[in-house]
Amino acid sequence: MTDTLIDPATVSAPTYSVTQERKIVTAIPGPISAALHKRRRAVVSDGVSSMLPVYIKKANGAIVVDVDGNQFIDLGAGIGVTTIGHTEASVVAAAVEQSQDFIHTLFTVTPYEEYVRVAELLAEHTPGDFAKKSVLINSGAEAVENGVKIARKYTGRRAVAVLDHAYHGRTVLTMAMNYKAMPYATGYGPLASDVYHAPSSYPYHDGLTGAEAATRTIAYLDKVIGASDLACLVVEPIQGEGGFMVPADGYLPALQEWCTANGVVMIADEIQSGMARTGKYFASEHFGWIPDLVLSAKGIAGGFPLAAVTGRAEIMDASQPGGLGGTFGGNPVSCAAAIAVFEAIEANNLLGEAARIGKSLTAGLTALKNKYDIIGEIRGHGAMMAIELVQPGTGDTTKAPNAAAVSAISTYAGQNGVLLLTAGTYGNVLRFLPSLALSDALIVDALSVIDDAMAAHAAALTAPTH
């Protein structure tokens, strides 16, 4: 028996070829997907839903291929996970190599360098030039839970504040932190206590400056909770499930200033917006915000499960030995993949690629906005863009939500080879969360499908009824 079962050099590129093009060869879903879906319905909980019942066989770059041979332009990246692209060669090679050395020991029993290196990279790339430490865990919701736990330990306080339109997960604590109850919390009560929802900055609807919105948020924190009882304020710099709301300039730094003055830990939930997605390593950088703690997950390991809480060393060290960790947290294979992701961001100028995608999407979406008055606002940064759809003619007045248009357009797109995510408190946002491997040619093609979808929806509204 040889020491190496597989030569990592042989997996320096995917073992299959996926052309970077959209191609539909069957009805959607195709017959093999339909058969798999029937099997799935017999054994998978109905609580686990799927946006489009096509079953994926392989993927590379910005394209996913289903079991029937249909190729889809992926504008969702597994909800922001495969940021550097599906089956990115260096990530695959790093994971294969590490899996042959060892797959698991548990860092809290016998540690390993890969965990330490990920923590070093997070300390280097998260905002702020102060000493930082990390704990590695498995998922975004687990990162949120640990961030809250650490803040409570450090401050000795109980209360947790979040913002309106927030989304933080599906665990017992995090579903109480979400703004929207359905489907995340409905019927699962009682919910965790001492969680408070403060008004946020939503410029398209509230018209407030950053300073004005911060004054409103701080008034709530002061009067409804009281700073002396508040352990932490958890904020997504760009709100994800809520609809990619971008706060007004100055809003986040003003909240941080208040938190610092009052001994409150301010936590950036960068689970969806971090790891180069917006053209910065972390979206907080766009707003001049240096949070106390940063939560990472999704894109950090190129598709392998990994998450982290990173922050000021004195806050992270407040926990007693054994108070943090978990069986699979910081798995060595996931850590090896994460190291490869950080290296790929630098080697392939992925911050620049995110900016390119943002520029191309903005130009294309602006052209659509000029054509269809249901597009109320285009917003976002880099490869984290969204359009909010409103009822015709209300974009500058009531801005009435148009969830029906979102549903029709996303369905049409899926049927024609474009995977498009929906979002928004009122279900009226289309979000663009592609991998940074998405080419300008694929952007043009995807937007042409969305153009056709909007035209079809408009025609359906004006078609005579019988």
Side-chain angles (χ1 to χ4, degrees), residues 374 391-392 402 404-405 454-465:
I374 62 171
Q391 296 295 333
N402 195 341
M454 290 186 171
H457 178 66
L461 292 179
T462 58
T465 58

Side-chain angles (χ1 to χ4, degrees), residues 4-13 89 92-94 96-98 100:
T4 301
L5 301 178
I6 302 172
D7 181 356
T10 66
V11 291
S12 60
V92 173
V96 169
E97 184 171 10
Q98 177 58 46
Q100 294 180 95

Side-chain angles (χ1 to χ4, degrees), residues 12 36 52 70 106-107 116 151 158 179 203 225 232 261 287 305 335 352 366 446-447 457 461:
S12 60
L36 279 169
L52 188 65
N70 299 296
L106 180 51
F107 190 78
V116 176
R158 58 175 179 80
Y179 182 72
I225 309 169
C232 59
F287 309 105
C335 286
T366 299
L447 291 178
H457 178 66
L461 292 179

Side-chain angles (χ1 to χ4, degrees), residues 363-375 378 392 447-456 458:
L365 293 171
T366 299
L368 290 178
K369 187 176 188 295
N370 292 334
K371 190 174 180 180
Y372 302 103
D373 68 352
I374 62 171
I375 299 179
I378 302 164
L447 291 178
S448 73
V449 172
I450 295 169
D451 189 351
D452 292 343
M454 290 186 171

Side-chain angles (χ1 to χ4, degrees), residues 199-217 246-249 251:
S200 59
S201 174
Y202 194 169
Y204 180 57
H205 283 273
D206 63 33
L208 300 178
T209 66
E212 291 166 341
T215 297
R216 182 177 64 172
T217 303
V246 178
D249 288 344
Y251 176 71

Side-chain angles (χ1 to χ4, degrees), residues 43-62:
V43 294
V44 177
S45 168
D46 286 349
V48 182
S49 59
S50 295
M51 181 189 76
L52 188 65
V54 294
Y55 288 73
I56 302 307
K57 177 73 170 179
K58 55 187 176 182
N60 183 239

